[in-house]
Amino acid sequence: MNNQPQSLYIHIPFCEAICDYCDFPKLQYFRIFAEKYLQKLKEEMDSYKISHPLKTIYIGGGTPTCLEDDLFEELLKIVDPYTKSVLEYTIEANPESLSVDKLKMMKAYGVNRLSIGVESTNDQILKAINRHHTFQDVKIAIKNAQKLGFNNINVDLILGLPNATKRQLEKDLDNLLSLPITHISCYSLSVHPHTTFYLKGIKEQSGDVERELYDYVESYLKEAGFIHYEISNWSKPGYESVHNFTYWKDETYYGVGLGAAGYVDGVRYTNTLSINEYLNGITCKEKENVSLEDDKEYFLMLNLRTNRGVILKEYQERFHEDFYKKNEETINRFVNDELMVFDKKEERIYLTYSGMMILDTILLELINGNGVTR
Ligand code: SF4
């Protein structure tokens, strides 16, 4: 296995406003912090001495597009030396700050994929969760992006927001599919401690309601020609996220910036969440040397999230054991229960939609049950 990471994640933690449900590493945008942050980000990227070609770059947040134009261009310049042979270069954006000027800059610096935080297409719901855009902003931003030649556009949607009925979900999907998008990420609302939602006592949907909403999304998007290629992600054929597949194939990657995670030389690391520490040059906060057994668990957990599943030859090459032979009984049971498919020709196992919906249970059985991998 080639262990030199071919993917780079860059975290920009600033946001214009803080959404009521947000649990990501983020802070209110102040120019003075952003200027220093970009300097430190460059230092952290330089510290990896990356001289080999990268396959994917993903700038996420926070909201990268909340940087003022000159700082946004500075960010693009910092990243530019790493982009020469990149296949997929994504930037996350919020609709209200995805201006024509920023889109032009992205185009000039080789960005070829946008990921836009839409979350809902109902303006009242958006306002109630402290998002600062309307559906009209989404339409304008995507239309401008299309005019400038962006043809690979993801939108994020949250399922189960307060007052978002199933009828609203139907409208959201109708609205989104009227736009030239190629990818949708749907996440169920999670209420985390320390968020405004948590303090307001807002509850997550029950498992049954959550499943009903996912079932609806699955059938709607399938009908519209989208492929459900990962638990929370659907794309038009050929528009699967190459960068995110780095994570799901359990490959190595660099992660830079506040709170970013990376996986380099057999070590999984997470950067500090303290902006003061980061600006003072303290980057890494936690390191985990991945043991062989943990590596097997990560490999299964990540690969089984996707419709590609576990390629048995890859497992054999990486862990020097026959996964199918070791887990034959369990696999056959899952196959009989229509939770898993064993593709004999391609020598891979993957989960059906029903299997994906109970991934944790399946993993527990594979890791600890009859067919222990340890
Ligand atoms: S824009 Fe994104 S990162 Fe920023 S507060 Fe909202 S959800 Fe969190």
Side-chain angles (χ1 to χ4, degrees):
M1 187 174 65
N2 177 10
N3 264 328
Q4 249 185 350
Q6 293 180 11
S7 292
L8 168 64
Y9 173 79
I10 300 159
H11 193 77
I12 302 298
F14 304 104
C15 294
E16 285 135 280
I18 305 301
C19 306
D20 286 358
Y21 55 87
C22 180
D23 187 43
F24 299 122
K26 65 353 176 137
L27 52 142
Q28 185 76 40
Y29 174 74
F30 286 110
R31 185 178 174 96
I32 183 121
F33 280 140
E35 284 171 351
K36 284 188 192 154
Y37 185 84
L38 291 182
Q39 280 170 22
K40 291 294 166 186
L41 196 63
K42 183 175 180 328
E43 284 172 24
E44 193 190 358
M45 284 165 69
D46 288 348
S47 74
Y48 284 106
K49 302 191 186 337
I50 304 167
S51 57
H52 59 281
L54 295 177
K55 192 170 67 180
T56 67
I57 294 178
Y58 191 109
I59 306 182
T63 313
T65 49
C66 84
L67 297 174
E68 288 159 81
D69 282 359
D70 60 326
L71 294 186
F72 190 71
E73 182 152 30
E74 198 179 318
L75 168 67
L76 292 168
K77 278 186 185 153
I78 291 170
V79 180
D80 198 48
Y82 303 96
T83 63
K84 300 303 169 227
S85 55
V86 151
L87 280 178
E88 186 187 274
Y89 182 3
T90 305
I91 295 192
E92 284 181 0
N94 275 354
E96 70 274 26
S97 53
L98 188 53
S99 64
V100 171
D101 286 344
K102 286 205 171 79
L103 284 165
K104 282 182 179 164
M105 277 187 236
M106 291 190 211
K107 201 75 198 158
Y109 282 88
V111 176
N112 57 14
R113 184 172 183 270
L114 300 172
S115 181
I116 305 176
V118 174
E119 319 310 356
S120 170
T121 64
N122 179 309
D123 292 348
Q124 279 163 354
I125 291 176
L126 288 167
K127 202 170 173 194
I129 61 175
N130 204 30
R131 297 289 302 195
H132 284 210
H133 68 267
T134 60
F135 182 52
Q136 182 64 12
D137 294 328
V138 174
K139 286 198 273 190
I140 292 170
I142 292 181
K143 210 168 128 200
N144 287 336
Q146 187 192 28
K147 264 193 211 155
L148 287 166
F150 288 94
N151 62 3
N152 192 356
I153 302 176
N154 169 58
V155 289
D156 285 347
L157 187 65
I158 301 179
L159 306 183
L161 285 168
N163 301 319
T165 56
K166 191 171 165 207
R167 178 74 198 109
Q168 179 57 45
L169 176 60
E170 291 170 31
K171 276 194 203 160
D172 286 339
L173 292 170
D174 285 347
N175 285 335
L176 292 175
L177 264 65
S178 71
L179 302 172
I181 57 163
T182 48
H183 193 288
I184 300 190
S185 300
C186 290
Y187 302 101
S188 290
L189 175 71
S190 297
V191 179
H192 300 276
H194 312 301
T195 59
T196 307
F197 266 14
Y198 183 83
L199 299 172
K200 282 183 180 169
I202 287 171
K203 301 276 178 262
E204 293 170 4
Q205 303 276 20
S206 71
D208 288 348
V209 175
E210 192 183 358
R211 176 70 194 260
E212 196 189 335
L213 296 179
Y214 258 96
D215 288 354
Y216 184 76
V217 173
E218 167 73 352
S219 63
Y220 188 110
L221 292 180
K222 202 171 172 185
E223 181 76 12
F226 280 70
I227 298 166
H228 187 195
Y229 76 98
E230 194 271 344
I231 290 181
S232 307
N233 289 282
W234 286 259
S235 79
K236 292 257 179 82
Y239 289 92
E240 298 86 353
S241 164
V242 183
H243 181 86
N244 288 339
F245 252 112
T246 302
Y247 308 139
W248 299 321
K249 284 161 131 181
D250 197 19
E251 293 174 348
T252 54
Y253 56 95
Y254 302 102
V256 297
L258 193 80
Y263 182 24
V264 179
D265 287 337
V267 177
R268 289 185 182 273
Y269 64 87
T270 310
N271 278 356
T272 178
L273 287 166
S274 155
I275 188 72
N276 285 334
E277 283 188 351
Y278 193 80
L279 295 183
N280 282 310
I282 300 164
T283 52
C284 186
K285 197 69 181 171
E286 276 177 32
K287 280 188 180 179
E288 178 198 0
N289 281 304
V290 184
S291 68
L292 181 67
E293 300 310 327
D294 289 342
D295 200 17
K296 285 182 197 172
E297 288 187 23
Y298 277 123
F299 186 88
L300 284 180
M301 177 178 77
L302 294 164
N303 279 281
L304 284 177
R305 293 183 65 90
T306 69
N307 65 348
R308 177 179 179 271
V310 172
I311 311 286
L312 297 172
K313 200 169 156 217
E314 279 180 11
Y315 191 96
Q316 171 81 44
E317 280 169 5
R318 183 153 166 169
F319 302 113
H320 310 291
E321 64 183 30
D322 187 329
F323 180 74
Y324 180 73
K325 225 181 208 173
K326 222 168 170 184
N327 296 278
E328 190 171 356
E329 201 188 310
T330 316
I331 290 172
N332 287 340
R333 185 159 43 83
F334 288 145
V335 170
N336 287 334
D337 291 344
E338 298 185 352
L339 296 168
M340 189 179 267
V341 176
F342 175 33
D343 183 332
K344 290 196 176 112
K345 199 165 151 233
E346 294 182 10
E347 295 193 5
R348 67 184 176 111
I349 57 160
Y350 61 93
L351 299 184
T352 61
Y353 173 72
S354 301
M356 278 188 185
M357 293 297 108
I358 56 159
L359 171 65
D360 290 349
T361 311
I362 289 177
L363 280 172
L364 263 182
E365 284 216 39
L366 284 173
I367 291 163
N368 300 320
N370 294 337
V372 284
T373 58
R374 286 176 185 263

